[in-house]
Amino acid sequence: MRVFVCILAALALCQAYDYKEVLRDSLLFYEAQRSGKLPADQKVTWRKDSALNDKGQNGEDLTGGYYDAGDYVKFGFPMAYTATVLAWGLVDNQAGYSAAGALSDGLKAVKWATDYFIKAHVSANVLYGQVGEGGPDHAYWGRPEDMTMSRPAYKIDTSHPGSDLAAETAAALAAASIVFKSSDSSYANTLLTHAKQLFDFAKNYRGKYSDSITDAQSYYASGDYKDELVWGAVWLYRATNDNSYLTTAEQLYNEFGLQNWNGGFTWDSKISGVEVLLAKITNKQSYKDKVSGYCTYISTSQQKTPKGLVYIDQWGSLRMAANAAFICASAADLGINADSNRQFAKKQLDYILGDGGRSYVIGYGNNPPTHPHHRSSSCPDAPAVCDWNTYNSASPNYHVLTGALVGGPDSSDNYKDERSNYISNEVATDYNAAFTSLLAYFSK
């Protein structure tokens, strides 16, 4: 499992882990999160078709997409962020995917989301942003195939806007259009058409999506929509080379005062992602300086655990470290403190894979988690019963949720592999997003 390969490059980075294997595994996690009718080439065979009656308020077909985490709600905002970041990894680190033999599965992971977004975008200014209701969904422990609760669908429109959701979905579709441009130009054009409409909707009807889709407030409340508007414009520029989008991105960046925002990159904050891409596109020093300042702060001044994990938040501590690592690895490729940023990114990745004393990726490495807070993998195959007794069982999850990154340890490197601890042991599609792209970066 541990392959010791020293890469004789400008940096003698010694590779203790098989990044290519983990990249392939991470894509399997996305297969395990699929909702809807599963394809014939599904590798995660213990998952079956589910939520085949997901519909919009007027009967629109909303099947497909990804279950969010250990539950079965389809939250459009973090799903769109996930798709954007996976596509980003494919655009900028395709060589890593190819080297890992993972390019085909990487494309499928993105397309599973974008096919759903096309369905959810039922007209120019209407986008479904959630299917399923948090409370009833979380009251159920069982297989997704066996769900019987109502799954209402929630949308944004001109009178109930959601600039963040619409712009992030536009970013996902635009980024994906770059990914598919060479292999499926017709699909890429369809993605771009939807992306342009969604960006106009986001820009022309301003508001936070979680003020319109109020059920999302308890789970994925949006802090602001300004960063997503710029993010969407930047990705549309990358996809089209239409200077009007770059002009819009820079105008909004200045109008909103984003240069004064603290750095960060999460499902809710795109500011450092915006600045890395603007630095890449424009080569302007002001953007490079912001990225440099963020990565310098994160790598030198941000709290760290005794074993070296950069500790940003107790919720998804590993996800936060992987997000920061991907931003700083991307900065390294732009020549921004290249050696130190690459070393920082690699150190965070290696902590996750085993340097912290154990692997935090299910199914990989030394002593990986076996009790993730995740319904479908905890359930034995039908017709066996799966309920809250399964949740309370001390037994490992019945199925191995290969490739999933768990939440992670606390600030002292303490971690308990317990199903009941959703802070440290839940998994989520956004947890694996930048992590996957980081693996592709180091697989090149």
Side-chain angles (χ1 to χ4, degrees):
M1 208 55 100
R2 284 179 135 223
V3 181
F4 288 89
V5 180
C6 276
I7 301 168
L8 299 173
L11 272 173
L13 293 177
C14 191
Q15 185 180 322
Y17 305 98
D18 189 340
Y19 301 137
K20 296 180 179 71
E21 179 185 346
V22 187
L23 174 57
R24 293 190 297 269
D25 286 352
S26 187
L27 295 170
L28 289 176
F29 166 62
Y30 285 104
E31 286 203 12
Q33 294 301 104
R34 285 171 170 172
S35 180
K37 175 121 186 103
L38 301 181
D41 64 357
Q42 173 88 6
K43 292 188 177 83
V44 181
T45 54
W46 50 265
R47 279 295 327 285
K48 309 299 177 192
D49 298 347
S50 62
L52 298 179
N53 293 312
D54 282 358
K55 288 183 173 65
Q57 293 168 16
N58 298 307
E60 302 98 337
D61 174 15
L62 295 180
T63 57
Y66 287 112
Y67 296 128
D68 174 60
D71 53 10
Y72 305 129
V73 181
K74 296 191 298 202
F75 289 106
F77 190 42
M79 195 195 306
Y81 158 85
T82 296
T84 308
V85 176
L86 288 175
W88 184 4
L90 279 155
V91 170
D92 285 355
N93 303 293
Q94 184 177 321
Y97 274 90
S98 296
L103 184 56
S104 175
D105 285 342
L107 296 176
K108 289 172 185 172
V110 171
K111 192 170 187 289
W112 198 263
T114 54
D115 282 352
Y116 170 74
F117 297 145
I118 289 170
K119 290 180 180 180
H121 184 216
V122 295
S123 63
N125 296 327
V126 179
L127 174 68
Y128 280 95
Q130 184 176 325
V131 180
E133 192 176 1
D137 184 274
H138 289 177
Y140 167 75
W141 194 275
R143 288 175 287 268
E145 301 90 312
D146 301 337
M147 288 188 292
T148 58
M149 82 286 284
S150 168
R151 288 175 62 80
Y154 305 90
K155 65 186 178 183
I156 53 171
D157 55 30
T158 55
S159 53
H160 307 90
S163 301
D164 31 26
L165 172 63
E168 182 62 70
T169 308
L173 295 168
S177 77
I178 306 171
V179 171
F180 288 102
K181 193 170 187 178
S182 59
S183 61
D184 190 344
S185 59
S186 173
Y187 187 64
N189 288 336
T190 298
L191 294 171
L192 208 45
T193 297
H194 284 276
K196 290 175 180 177
Q197 289 182 357
L198 281 164
F199 181 71
D200 287 344
F201 174 33
K203 191 169 54 127
N204 295 333
Y205 298 91
R206 303 279 177 96
K208 290 197 297 187
Y209 95 98
S210 48
D211 290 340
S212 297
I213 301 177
T214 54
D215 190 70
Q217 287 177 3
S218 300
Y219 310 98
Y220 290 100
S222 174
D224 208 318
Y225 61 76
K226 297 185 181 73
D227 47 336
E228 279 83 23
L229 277 176
V230 180
W231 179 241
V234 169
W235 274 111
L236 273 159
Y237 173 74
R238 283 198 80 179
T240 63
N241 289 314
D242 179 341
N243 279 315
S244 69
Y245 287 114
L246 179 57
T247 300
T248 297
E250 295 201 275
Q251 283 178 344
L252 290 175
Y253 181 91
N254 292 320
E255 177 190 326
F256 295 152
L258 296 194
Q259 64 270 21
N260 300 316
W261 285 29
N262 290 330
F265 192 63
T266 68
W267 59 266
D268 187 37
S269 174
K270 317 296 152 53
I271 183 64
S272 290
V274 162
E275 288 163 345
V276 164
L277 292 185
L278 284 174
K280 183 182 181 78
I281 292 163
T282 69
N283 205 32
K284 289 182 181 175
Q285 196 61 42
S286 58
Y287 302 127
K288 291 182 177 179
D289 288 346
K290 275 294 303 282
V291 175
S292 175
Y294 169 69
C295 289
T296 298
Y297 175 82
I298 282 290
S299 60
T300 62
S301 302
Q302 178 68 39
Q303 179 184 357
K304 292 185 179 64
T305 69
K307 293 179 180 176
L309 177 71
V310 61
Y311 193 79
I312 300 169
D313 194 335
Q314 67 164 350
W315 280 91
S317 59
L318 297 173
R319 167 266 312 258
M320 299 298 282
N323 292 358
F326 179 63
I327 290 294
C328 298
S330 300
D333 270 6
L334 301 180
I336 300 171
N337 304 324
D339 289 358
S340 59
N341 277 333
R342 205 169 280 124
Q343 286 175 326
F344 164 73
K346 184 178 182 298
K347 184 171 184 179
Q348 297 309 305
L349 181 56
D350 287 352
Y351 178 101
I352 291 169
L353 298 182
D355 280 8
R358 65 181 303 152
S359 167
Y360 288 102
V361 180
I362 297 169
Y364 177 83
N366 173 48
N367 193 26
T370 55
H371 295 70
H373 182 92
H374 184 264
R375 287 161 176 76
S376 63
S377 64
S378 77
C379 293
D381 291 332
V385 172
C386 185
D387 57 19
W388 286 102
N389 289 324
T390 312
Y391 167 81
N392 290 316
S393 163
S395 300
N397 282 26
Y398 189 86
H399 295 287
V400 178
L401 189 63
T402 303
L405 177 67
V406 297
D410 66 13
S411 59
S412 302
D413 299 297
N414 298 315
Y415 167 79
K416 289 182 179 174
D417 183 16
E418 294 173 345
R419 196 175 294 116
S420 59
N421 192 334
Y422 48 84
I423 292 179
S424 68
N425 231 34
E426 191 158 21
V427 299
T429 52
D430 81 282
Y431 284 19
N432 270 67
F435 174 66
T436 305
S437 293
L438 185 64
L439 289 161
Y441 176 94
F442 281 111
S443 294
K444 289 185 291 193

